[in-house]
Amino acid sequence: MRLSRYFLPILKETPREAEIVSHQLMLRAGMIRQQAAGIYSFLPLGLKVLNKVCNIIREEQNRSGAVEILMPTIQSADLWRESGRYDAYGKEMLRIADRQERELLFGPTNEEMVTDIFRSSVRSYKDLPLNLYQIQWKFRDEVRPRFGVMRSREFLMKDAYSFDLDVDSATNAYHRMFVAYLRTFHRCGLKAIPMRADTGPIGGNLSHEFIILASTGESEVFCHRDYLDMAVPPADVDFDDAGQLASIVEAWTTPYAATDEMHEEAAWSRVDPASQLSARGIEVGHIFYFGTKYSEAMKAFVTGPDGKDVPVHMGSYGIGPSRLVAAAIEAFHDESGIVWPRAIAPFDVGLINMKPGDADCDAACETLYAQMKQAGIDVLYDDRDQRAGAKFATMDLIGLPTQVIVGPRSAKTGEAEIKDRASGVRETIAMDQIIARVSS
Amino acid sequence: MRLSRYFLPILKETPREAEIVSHQLMLRAGMIRQQAAGIYSFLPLGLKVLNKVCNIIREEQNRSGAVEILMPTIQSADLWRESGRYDAYGKEMLRIADRQERELLFGPTNEEMVTDIFRSSVRSYKDLPLNLYQIQWKFRDEVRPRFGVMRSREFLMKDAYSFDLDVDSATNAYHRMFVAYLRTFHRCGLKAIPMRADTGPIGGNLSHEFIILASTGESEVFCHRDYLDMAVPPADVDFDDAGQLASIVEAWTTPYAATDEMHEEAAWSRVDPASQLSARGIEVGHIFYFGTKYSEAMKAFVTGPDGKDVPVHMGSYGIGPSRLVAAAIEAFHDESGIVWPRAIAPFDVGLINMKPGDADCDAACETLYAQMKQAGIDVLYDDRDQRAGAKFATMDLIGLPTQVIVGPRSAKTGEAEIKDRASGVRETIAMDQIIARVSS
């Protein structure tokens, strides 16, 4: 992509309303724009990151056996009356009346609707297990939306819902998602630690939050240092092997790990002080097993092997991709801007033409640009007529992993500079080595 | 994908509420489910088609130089007061009050919001031309939603917005989208005919609808038969060549073509009667040039080359991907079900195991399934324990372009049957020829 044809509205000043660094950097880097309190547009650079995150989530959901659907944002109030949550949910729910004065709402979550889909079409235990997920916009009318897309009112959510015949099978479904989540965050370049969590209004008695550590995190967390080096399950983990999944989950839940809310001083004091890690964290995922809470209320029954109808056992599993983008910035930035993990970087490479109009510079850049596109490297080419200093600052701000810099002098000698954004290391190499180096 | 692990809730009976064939078939094939009046879930099979359509749209938007963003579904009423449309829009707009009693709405279209994004960041003619597009859910509170996703209240829309310095440049932007639309519908397997259209509440004086012909179409259309054989611009069409684009648009707008609303008997009578095609059609896209209507009202000005501030010239360009899925079914079905154009089929191939449990059948199917996945063929493998007749009916209903059928007898002789869904032609060929044949 040529920057001259892109839409990258960089801000020179840090907007005063932005309190945390991810919000500041997302605004400054032209990733998002606030449209109303807690409601944001994703501009091209932000959307590219969001889509990369969603694709990783999607691949890992599919790998674990979940099947993608897409439910509407607008729901009927009647459905929520069946579960009893219409009145219970409170003011966070955005309630709407249509032109016929029918009561609708903008979905804050989808347990009711997915249960309705399930009960309308699944009758037998033979069609289980089933896990349906979607990636769809939600709305929660927070009293005080803030921190940009970290705590916005309209936000993107991947929500999965599992349906099983009994507790054992439902526990296995929970384990599948647990392992999929470990892999998802790892692939996004994040170290996420599962922590036993309160189930809150969703209900049930088994729940974990996935927390990434960041000094600017919203909540205090306590965990064993062992988590920092624990191996994440590989891509070929067998999701049909219940025993293998259970042992992975056991390994990842045995050392102490708790958020503020669930912290127990007695258990914590039994952790070797040298292994105690108390830090700040950001929740990026939350999974729940809540049994038959919704299926009983909404009559989602299946016929079991013995011919008797039983309410289906359910769990739900959420990741906030829009929030995850912000969380990644909280974890990876420096004083110059964002430092994207490679897997979710909006572009692989930023190509800087230091002097557009200089024939050698232009020719070298055009050649590199064409070669990179040919090699499948996603490149942002800064071909604008601006001074080099401003281009360097912009490139550092938007945090692409690799920069390739071509100036009049290096173009003449057939060389270019490669800069690694994370380490800051710069190296001058021959032009014909660039593609091989950047691809590796 | 193994059908035993998929979610494909086929209906045996045609639901009574479905009046048109696409609605009937989408319900029967388990593609969608109604959640409230005019509000639908996309189930796995429907979502796959929707995503294929969106990807084609996206590729052609990008090729034409448009840049993707994503605006929120919820908008502020204040923005619409600036353009004067808040009161003018009427009851089709879903109006919402949040917990602070702020007036919001679910966006029925985004001219106001995108103009707000533009004016907040673009100041100079040097940053033009610019075309920003999104694919996002919209809501229009129709009095009588019907025909499934063909006329639903919550629907997906690709909406693009162009910004240019003057009429000439804006006309070129209009031509770029016109050509992108021709390519988009063609790639979806549809023959779309551009017809001069009324601009309606969007405003402006230049507008075309893209209409596909289908006997069940909602409106009467009149056009020259030449359209049926007109060549669609190739993938390497040069979107930077304004002259080339203008001549393509001219070729595609010269023969007579009009919807009912714009039909002129005098002009029609001058078309050679043998070339007159009067038929029914479905609108799948609509493009508008409306000049400075929104930019003047909302003060979206840029500084021109002469240093003077001028309101930017705008156009907007819509495709309804969810509606397009239904329109494709209206155009391509038979008495057994859907007959997908290959480019938007949910899977490339349906693999039918006629007798699961039969060792030869299972082995042959597993081999073919693995080979297809290896070859990048997207295959739906019906491995369920059901009788063959039901499997054939399901496969015909969901309309995958190619079926590969393995029975105990053919498995023993190392053969399988290939059926072309569109022609119904069946052919028995050697198992080791299947992949090559299916890939071609």
Side-chain angles (χ1 to χ4, degrees):
Chain A
M1 175 60 71
R2 289 171 196 275
L3 193 36
S4 61
R5 295 180 167 212
Y6 203 51
F7 181 60
L8 185 69
I10 297 290
L11 302 185
K12 295 216 175 72
E13 317 264 304
T14 298
R16 267 176 305 177
E17 76 270 21
E19 298 170 47
I20 61 171
V21 69
S22 61
H23 190 192
Q24 291 166 359
L25 288 173
M26 289 182 82
L27 289 170
R28 283 189 51 211
M31 292 179 65
I32 56 170
R33 178 163 196 279
Q34 182 173 314
Q35 304 295 159
I39 300 178
Y40 291 84
S41 286
F42 277 76
L43 304 182
L45 198 77
L47 180 59
K48 277 203 87 175
V49 178
L50 186 65
N51 285 340
K52 288 209 171 178
V53 167
C54 287
N55 282 340
I56 291 173
I57 292 172
R58 190 170 275 129
E59 283 174 18
E60 296 301 330
Q61 292 290 297
N62 293 347
R63 191 195 306 277
S64 80
V67 181
E68 190 172 5
I69 63 173
L70 189 56
M71 291 176 269
T73 62
I74 300 296
Q75 307 189 11
S76 156
D78 287 342
L79 208 52
W80 287 68
R81 292 214 170 84
E82 286 192 54
S83 71
R85 286 208 292 181
Y86 188 66
D87 295 323
Y89 213 93
K91 292 203 153 192
E92 258 193 31
M93 179 184 278
L94 191 68
R95 293 158 208 260
I96 306 169
D98 71 7
R99 67 191 296 165
Q100 326 267 17
E101 297 300 330
R102 282 175 296 213
E103 291 170 289
L104 303 172
L105 57 99
F106 198 121
T109 178
N110 281 50
E111 280 80 8
E112 283 79 359
M113 190 178 277
V114 79
T115 303
D116 180 53
I117 291 172
F118 179 88
R119 72 182 174 185
S120 73
S121 53
V122 181
R123 301 265 177 274
S124 162
Y125 77 97
K126 290 180 189 161
D127 295 322
L128 303 182
L130 181 64
N131 185 321
L132 299 175
Y133 79 97
Q134 68 169 351
I135 300 178
Q136 178 61 296
W137 294 89
K138 308 287 190 294
F139 200 99
R140 290 184 192 163
D141 200 359
E142 307 255 0
V143 188
R144 203 189 144 206
R146 54 186 171 153
F147 302 154
V149 295
M150 185 77 90
R151 188 173 292 280
S152 54
R153 295 199 291 170
E154 183 167 338
F155 61 99
L156 194 57
M157 186 166 155
K158 186 288 297 180
D159 40 330
Y161 304 90
S162 64
F163 303 90
D164 286 273
L165 181 64
D166 54 33
V167 181
D168 284 354
S169 170
T171 304
N172 181 230
Y174 188 90
H175 291 168
R176 277 200 301 275
M177 278 292 121
F178 190 107
V179 171
Y181 274 37
L182 289 176
R183 286 194 43 75
T184 299
F185 299 123
H186 177 70
R187 284 188 58 196
C188 289
L190 301 169
K191 188 169 283 297
I193 301 170
M195 303 195 181
R196 185 91 187 199
D198 197 14
T199 55
I202 299 269
N205 52 23
L206 178 59
S207 178
H208 286 90
E209 287 178 354
F210 289 76
I211 305 274
I212 63 167
L213 306 182
S215 58
T216 50
E218 62 203 337
S219 58
E220 206 172 356
V221 298
F222 306 84
C223 69
H224 197 288
R225 279 189 191 281
D226 279 1
Y227 279 109
L228 301 182
D229 303 312
M230 225 175 260
V232 169
D236 64 354
V237 60
D238 184 357
F239 280 95
D240 290 333
D241 182 343
Q244 190 190 351
L245 298 185
S247 62
I248 292 169
V249 173
E250 198 187 345
W252 277 87
T253 51
T254 299
Y256 188 89
T259 59
D260 212 3
E261 277 177 335
M262 302 288 279
H263 188 48
E264 289 170 6
E265 277 300 338
W268 183 235
S269 68
R270 288 193 293 274
V271 176
D272 169 15
S275 297
Q276 287 182 351
L277 180 65
S278 116
R280 300 202 70 84
I282 302 169
E283 183 200 325
V284 288
H286 202 159
I287 63 178
F288 301 88
Y289 165 63
F290 45 71
T292 59
K293 172 174 168 165
Y294 297 92
S295 55
E296 290 204 52
M298 298 182 63
K299 302 198 171 43
F301 286 72
V302 291
T303 308
D306 57 2
K308 282 191 193 140
D309 284 353
V310 290
V312 72
H313 285 249
M314 292 176 59
S316 72
Y317 313 88
I319 297 178
S322 47
R323 152 173 265 253
L324 198 146
V325 171
I329 295 174
E330 292 291 335
F332 300 106
H333 65 271
D334 62 19
E335 64 287 350
S336 304
I338 304 166
V339 185
W340 289 113
R342 205 164 279 276
I344 61 173
F347 294 91
D348 304 321
V349 172
L351 172 61
I352 297 177
N353 184 339
M354 282 175 68
K355 200 171 180 186
D358 176 278
D360 291 331
C361 260
D362 288 352
C365 283
E366 289 296 334
T367 302
L368 284 173
Y369 182 60
Q371 288 173 341
M372 286 184 197
K373 288 206 296 182
Q374 181 69 28
I377 296 163
D378 197 10
V379 52
L380 182 64
Y381 171 24
D382 192 345
D383 59 341
R384 296 171 306 164
D385 184 18
Q386 272 201 356
R387 60 188 184 79
K391 291 187 173 188
F392 294 150
T394 294
M395 217 42 107
D396 280 354
L397 174 63
I398 68 175
L400 309 184
T402 304
Q403 297 172 13
V404 174
I405 302 160
V406 179
R409 224 175 325 165
S410 62
K412 242 187 190 52
T413 58
E415 290 174 321
E417 200 172 30
I418 288 198
K419 175 178 162 183
D420 180 70
R421 174 67 181 87
S423 65
V425 171
R426 292 155 167 266
E427 199 181 344
T428 301
I429 65 173
M431 204 74 83
D432 58 9
Q433 301 295 310
I434 297 276
I435 301 300
R437 175 67 73 85
V438 168
S439 307
S440 71
Chain B
M1 174 61 70
R2 289 171 195 276
L3 194 36
S4 62
R5 296 181 167 211
Y6 203 51
F7 180 61
L8 184 70
I10 297 290
L11 302 185
K12 294 215 176 69
E13 317 264 304
T14 297
R16 265 176 307 176
E17 76 270 22
E19 298 170 48
I20 61 170
V21 69
S22 60
H23 190 191
Q24 291 166 358
L25 288 173
M26 289 182 83
L27 290 169
R28 283 188 52 212
M31 292 179 65
I32 55 170
R33 177 164 196 280
Q34 182 173 316
Q35 303 296 158
I39 300 178
Y40 290 84
S41 285
F42 277 77
L43 302 182
L45 198 76
L47 180 59
K48 278 203 87 175
V49 179
L50 186 64
N51 285 339
K52 288 209 171 179
V53 167
C54 287
N55 282 339
I56 290 173
I57 292 172
R58 191 171 275 128
E59 283 174 18
E60 296 301 330
Q61 291 290 297
N62 293 346
R63 192 196 304 279
S64 79
V67 182
E68 191 173 5
I69 62 174
L70 189 56
M71 292 176 268
T73 62
I74 301 296
Q75 307 189 11
S76 157
D78 288 341
L79 208 51
W80 287 67
R81 291 212 172 87
E82 286 193 53
S83 71
R85 286 208 293 181
Y86 188 65
D87 295 323
Y89 213 94
K91 292 203 154 191
E92 260 192 29
M93 180 185 278
L94 191 67
R95 292 157 209 258
I96 306 169
D98 72 7
R99 67 190 299 166
Q100 326 267 19
E101 297 299 331
R102 280 174 296 212
E103 291 170 290
L104 303 173
L105 56 99
F106 198 122
T109 178
N110 281 49
E111 280 80 8
E112 283 79 0
M113 190 178 278
V114 78
T115 303
D116 179 51
I117 291 173
F118 179 88
R119 72 181 173 185
S120 73
S121 52
V122 181
R123 300 267 177 273
S124 162
Y125 77 97
K126 290 181 189 160
D127 296 324
L128 303 182
L130 181 65
N131 186 322
L132 298 175
Y133 79 97
Q134 67 168 353
I135 300 178
Q136 178 62 296
W137 294 89
K138 308 287 190 295
F139 200 99
R140 290 184 192 164
D141 200 359
E142 307 254 2
V143 187
R144 202 188 146 206
R146 55 188 171 151
F147 302 154
V149 295
M150 186 76 89
R151 188 172 292 279
S152 54
R153 294 198 291 170
E154 184 168 337
F155 61 99
L156 194 56
M157 185 165 154
K158 186 288 298 180
D159 39 330
Y161 304 90
S162 63
F163 302 90
D164 286 272
L165 180 64
D166 53 32
V167 181
D168 284 354
S169 170
T171 304
N172 181 229
Y174 189 89
H175 291 168
R176 277 200 301 274
M177 279 292 122
F178 191 107
V179 171
Y181 275 38
L182 289 176
R183 287 194 41 77
T184 299
F185 299 123
H186 177 70
R187 284 189 57 195
C188 288
L190 301 169
K191 187 168 285 297
I193 299 170
M195 303 194 182
R196 185 92 187 198
D198 198 14
T199 55
I202 298 268
N205 52 22
L206 177 59
S207 177
H208 286 89
E209 287 179 355
F210 288 77
I211 305 272
I212 63 167
L213 305 182
S215 58
T216 50
E218 63 202 336
S219 57
E220 207 172 355
V221 298
F222 306 85
C223 69
H224 197 288
R225 278 190 193 280
D226 279 359
Y227 279 109
L228 301 181
D229 303 313
M230 225 175 262
V232 170
D236 63 355
V237 60
D238 184 357
F239 279 96
D240 289 333
D241 183 342
Q244 190 190 352
L245 298 185
S247 62
I248 293 169
V249 172
E250 197 187 346
W252 277 87
T253 51
T254 299
Y256 189 89
T259 59
D260 212 1
E261 279 177 334
M262 303 288 281
H263 188 49
E264 289 170 7
E265 277 300 339
W268 182 235
S269 68
R270 287 191 295 273
V271 176
D272 168 17
S275 297
Q276 287 181 351
L277 180 65
S278 112
R280 300 202 68 83
I282 301 169
E283 182 201 325
V284 288
H286 202 159
I287 63 179
F288 301 89
Y289 165 62
F290 44 71
T292 58
K293 172 175 167 163
Y294 298 92
S295 53
E296 291 204 51
M298 297 182 65
K299 303 198 172 41
F301 286 70
V302 291
T303 308
D306 57 1
K308 282 189 192 140
D309 283 356
V310 290
V312 72
H313 285 250
M314 292 177 59
S316 72
Y317 313 88
I319 297 177
S322 47
R323 153 172 265 249
L324 198 146
V325 171
I329 295 174
E330 293 292 334
F332 300 107
H333 65 271
D334 61 21
E335 63 287 349
S336 303
I338 305 166
V339 185
W340 288 114
R342 206 164 278 276
I344 62 172
F347 294 91
D348 304 320
V349 172
L351 173 62
I352 298 177
N353 184 339
M354 283 175 68
K355 201 172 181 187
D358 176 279
D360 293 331
C361 260
D362 289 352
C365 283
E366 289 295 334
T367 302
L368 283 173
Y369 182 59
Q371 288 173 340
M372 285 183 198
K373 288 206 296 182
Q374 181 68 28
I377 297 163
D378 197 11
V379 52
L380 181 66
Y381 171 26
D382 192 346
D383 58 341
R384 297 169 308 164
D385 185 18
Q386 272 202 357
R387 59 188 185 78
K391 292 186 174 189
F392 294 149
T394 294
M395 217 43 105
D396 280 353
L397 174 62
I398 67 174
L400 309 184
T402 305
Q403 298 173 12
V404 174
I405 302 159
V406 178
R409 227 177 321 167
S410 62
K412 242 188 189 55
T413 59
E415 291 173 322
E417 199 172 32
I418 288 198
K419 175 178 162 183
D420 179 70
R421 174 68 181 89
S423 66
V425 172
R426 294 155 165 268
E427 199 182 344
T428 300
I429 65 173
M431 203 75 82
D432 57 9
Q433 300 296 309
I434 298 276
I435 301 300
R437 176 68 74 87
V438 169
S439 307
S440 70

